[in-house]
Structure formats: C-alpha cells, structure tokens
Amino acid sequence: MIVASEDGVLAPFNAAGVLTASDVHVARRVARLSGATVDDDVLLATALAVRAVRTGSTCVQLDRIGETIVDRSDDESGTLTWPPVDRMVRALAASELVTGSPSGPLKPLALAESDDGPLLYLRKYFRQEQSVRQILDARAAGRPDVDAAAVSTAIEASFGAADDAGYDRQRAAAALAATSWTTVLAGGPGTGKTYTVARILAMMEELLGADVRVGLCAPTGRAAAQLQTVIGEYSRTHHKLHSDPKAVTVHRLLGSRPDGTFVRGAGNRLPFDVVVVDETSMLPVTMMCRLLESLRSDTRLILVGDPHQLVSVEAGAVLADLVDRGLGAVDTAELPPAFETAASIGDGDFTDDERAALAHGVITLRRGHRFGNRIGDVAEAVNAGDAERVLELVAGDSDAQGGADRTVTLVDPDELDSVRASVVGWAGDLADAARSGDASAAVAALRSHRVLCAHRIGRFGVAGWSRRILGWIGDDLGARPMDGAWYAGEPLLVTANDRAQEVYNGDSGVVIADGDSLAAVFERGDQVKRLHPSQLGDVVPVYAMTIHRSQGSQFSEVTVVLPPADAELLTRELLYTAITRARDRVRIVGTPDALRAAVGRRVARASGLRTQLREVGG
C-alpha cells in the first residue's frame, strides 16, 4: 500500500514495495516522538529495522541491505539508490534514536558491531537477543557435578547395553545432556530425536532420582500433544517414567496472561530440574528469551529440533543460530571427562567441528529411520543447495519409467493424471474406512496422503488445489454433500487450540460413521480420540494444507505444489520441510525453474546471535 502523504526519503522505497505503509508510519512516528531532528539516512534505517522484524529478522545487516532487503519480485526495487553504509552508520551512531533523545529516555534503536558487520536493531529485540546470549553463555560456563560411572550406568539402564559395532550418537546425546546445563539436540526427520528424548528422561530419573521434576513443552499445542504421545508410549511400553511429565505449550508452561505478560520470569522461576522444548525451530527469539529468564541456573535445558526446517513466523531463527554458533565455535572449550567416558566415543567418532560443537552443547543426529534413501538423498541435496543434483534425482515422469526409482518425482503442472489418480484413490480409501465406522483404518487412510502448498490462496495455494481436488473426487467418485452437513469420509483440519476437547491447531481428523450418528476421530499415537462433530469449534475440510501447517506431521505420500519461480515464499527451507513430511513417496508438481529457484533461495533472517556483539553509541 502506498502512503499518499509520504513525499520524503521513504517514498521511493514504499513505491518499490520494499517498505509497506506500516513500516513508513512507524518510522515517522518514532521520529516525531523523539523530539529530535532525524537525518534521512537514520529515518530510512529505522523503517528498515521495522521491516526486518515484520519479515522475521531481529536486525538489519547494514552492509548487505542492497542484497537482502530488496524485494526480489519487484523490478522497480533494483533501481533504488541506497545510501553509503559508512555514512548511514555514522549518522546512526550520532542519532538521538540510538544515544537518547532530548524529550526523554527514548532510545528505540540499537546499533552494534559484529563479525557480520554493523547491525541495527529495534532495541526491544536487541535486549532480548543479548539476554539469550548472556544466559546461555552463563549456563555454558559451568557443568553439572556428575560422576562418569553413574552417568554410564544410567545410560545403560535407559538405552540398554552399548552396540559393539561402534558409538551411538543417541547415547552420546544422553551423555551430553547429563553433563551440560544446555543441550541442543538437532537432526532431520526420522533421526530419532524424540526417541532419544524419551530415553534421556529415563536416564535422568536413574541419575537424579525418581522424583526428578520434568517440564515438557513445544511452541504449538499440536507439537506438544505429539511429544506427549511419544513420551507416553515409551513410558507404557519400554521404561515406566515415574515423573509422568505432561507436555504443554511454551506459553502455558510460562503462564501466559491475557495482556501478553507471563507469570514466570526472573522473579518467579520454573520449578523443574529438566526442561525439554520440542520443535524449537518454531520458537521465536521473544519466547526463547522469556523461557531462559524463567529457568533456574541448575535446570538442565534440552532444545530439540531440525534447524533446516521452516522457522518461526515471528522474528528470529534461534535453533539455527545456536547450531551454527556451536559449529562455528573457534575457542578452546573442552568436553568434560564425564562426557568422554559415558559417551564411549573415540577421537575419530566426531569431526573436529563436531567436537567443538559438542563442547558448546550441540549434537546433531545423522542416521535417518523414517524414509527411503531417495527421499533422504533429495533432502540432503536440497540442504546443500545443489539444484542440479536435485533435478537429477527427480528428473522425468518416472511413473512411465518402468524400473526407475519412483520414490521422488517431478510432475509437469499440465500433466496431473498420476496426481489425480493418487488423490482420488486416497479419498476413496478414506470414504470406505469412514463409512464402515473403522476408526483405526480411517485415521490410517487419512495419513496415507496429503497435498502441501506454499500459499493459502490462489491457483497454486490451498484454496485453488482444494477446489481442484473436490472436482476430481466429484467426477470420479460421485458428488459429495454440498450443504455444509457433516459426512462420513470428510477430512478435517483444526484451526484453533481447544484445551477442553484436547484438540489443537493443526490437528487432522476424519468424520466416520458411528452407528446411526457420526464421530470425528483423531489419531493419538496408538490410540484414537473420538468426539462428536458438534464438539468441534474451529475446523475446516482439509483436502490440501500449507507446508507451514504440516510441520511435525508425517504422511506415507505427499504431493508438493510449487508456486512460480519468482514467488517470495519459495525457499530451500520450504521445499525441505515439504519433502521430509513423506515416508515413502513424494510428487513435486512444478517446473524445473521453480525447483531450481527453491533450492537456490534460502530464508534470509538477519540475526546477531551467531556472533559476539559490541553496542555502538548506546
């Protein structure tokens, strides 16, 4: 939206689409509130700092604004004249918006020097990032006082005897959690992260006593429910957890209030001995700051997630920052002897970079168990940014290639017969199971296939593909009810948390026949949750869903719909997340150009958390 009243330095950037109306209005408002004369360079920098948070960054890399700020989809943005970086930095260092204004203590901006060059923050996010850094550094300065033999005994009790074939990264992760106040457990889908967490909790009970207090949480209600399911299954089938931890959202763990504040904080710490955060990649810097401030110094914190997945919709990419920070460590931090003994690893079991990361509490699980080699190969090539290798692996319509590997294929958007057959087959299996009233078969059919889109609206989005799928189903299987009534075989997506019914935003379910009535069923591990449809408040039919909503889910097969190559949402992280939702098969609907664009374009989130900072002029 163009701001008609803006005729100053911000106007061309607003017209080019680099700045939105909100960026312009907030920057102008901040300048007026300061009561000072604000230089044009400083005003532009302020608007860019507002834009940075809006687009997911915590700061602006001032020496890279020409590369990272410009809107790739707008040709006009390439003609903008950017001020010289040195001039902008000097103006900011002298500005009252950084040093303090004559009208009062207002200092809305923070300027910092880093290894990545000069960074500009809205001060709120600078303080949060600095708090995260300082708390983690303080926690890393010491180690729990544990006996190596006791740790080894506890690991063996929860994992079983060590495999003679060599070291086990999952056991090493348990040893790291026992000997560190903060552990980052990273890894891709199927590497056994949650499996490892369950056994770490069993180990903690052996090491610290059965009365150990455990807090389990995740950024979303659905992720928390999934974590609870896995931990509960392990406790029932492998090793009874006496602590009986209950997984909740991070907001609930901290006691969120309606006004946005929290019960927990530096003055009211959490009571837990161990806190586990699953799906940490979705945790923004603001919530990470609140969580760390709420921990006791002697609480073990275990952060779990995949740093290559899509990050939080809010500002920050904390998990990726912490993993990169550990892998990029150049100091001489040493691993504690208790870890070396308990982990049973040799000098060659980890690379030098990995050992440096271990010393900073970061371990990455490597071996995947979820999907076939071809899906794993494609995911690795996507992460490596090797577009030609990805195209080689998915080249051609392998449905027609006889003996070729058909695990991952690229499908021409104008030749969708194979996709149509798969989707209609899925809908038919779902309807058959639902009409028979077989809840287990219905939820199994539901997770057998899912169409994933980058957008919600448009012909390439969820709305367009849902219409397409309904048309296919109507033509091939017969018309479905169109009057809004519930019907057996209707797939459902929950769009808001409902604690009373224990269903959460992102949960998928299906309506089935239940005698003379209907029931909505949701999978919960090896159990099925059953509700009457009238008990569900915020649900919609789900014939396709966004890739963002699919995080944490698994399907036997996925169809990934790529938007055009110039779509802003089309990134490496988006493609990786979509591909790794599948266990057995992936169809990618798109052009080679769109696939190249996705592999070559990374989510650009500026942050200072990876490096040390020195504030300038504050």
Side-chain angles (χ1 to χ4, degrees), residues 198 226 594:
Q226 290 174 333

Side-chain angles (χ1 to χ4, degrees), residues 116-167:
D116 294 330
L119 306 177
L120 181 68
Y121 292 80
L122 295 181
R123 187 164 294 277
K124 168 186 173 180
Y125 294 94
F126 178 74
R127 286 174 175 163
Q128 290 175 354
E129 201 175 86
Q130 286 291 79
S131 181
V132 169
R133 185 196 325 278
Q134 290 163 5
I135 293 171
L136 289 175
D137 287 349
R139 292 174 63 83
R143 296 277 182 179
D145 184 13
V146 293
D147 178 73
V151 175
S152 297
T153 300
I155 290 175
E156 186 163 335
S158 57
F159 282 82
D163 188 343
D164 293 336
Y167 78 103

Side-chain angles (χ1 to χ4, degrees), residues 274-326:
V274 180
V275 169
V276 176
V277 185
D278 199 14
E279 298 288 357
T280 310
S281 63
M282 293 191 284
L283 199 65
V285 68
T286 297
M287 288 306 299
M288 178 62 80
C289 178
R290 296 289 180 265
L291 175 65
L292 290 174
E293 290 174 346
S294 301
L295 294 179
R296 302 196 323 257
S297 60
D298 61 348
T299 297
R300 285 176 172 85
L301 174 65
I302 303 172
L303 303 173
V304 185
D306 184 350
H308 299 297
Q309 280 192 182
L310 287 166
V311 292
S312 164
V313 295
E314 299 177 51
V318 179
L319 181 67
D321 286 344
L322 295 182
V323 171
D324 287 348
R325 194 180 186 211

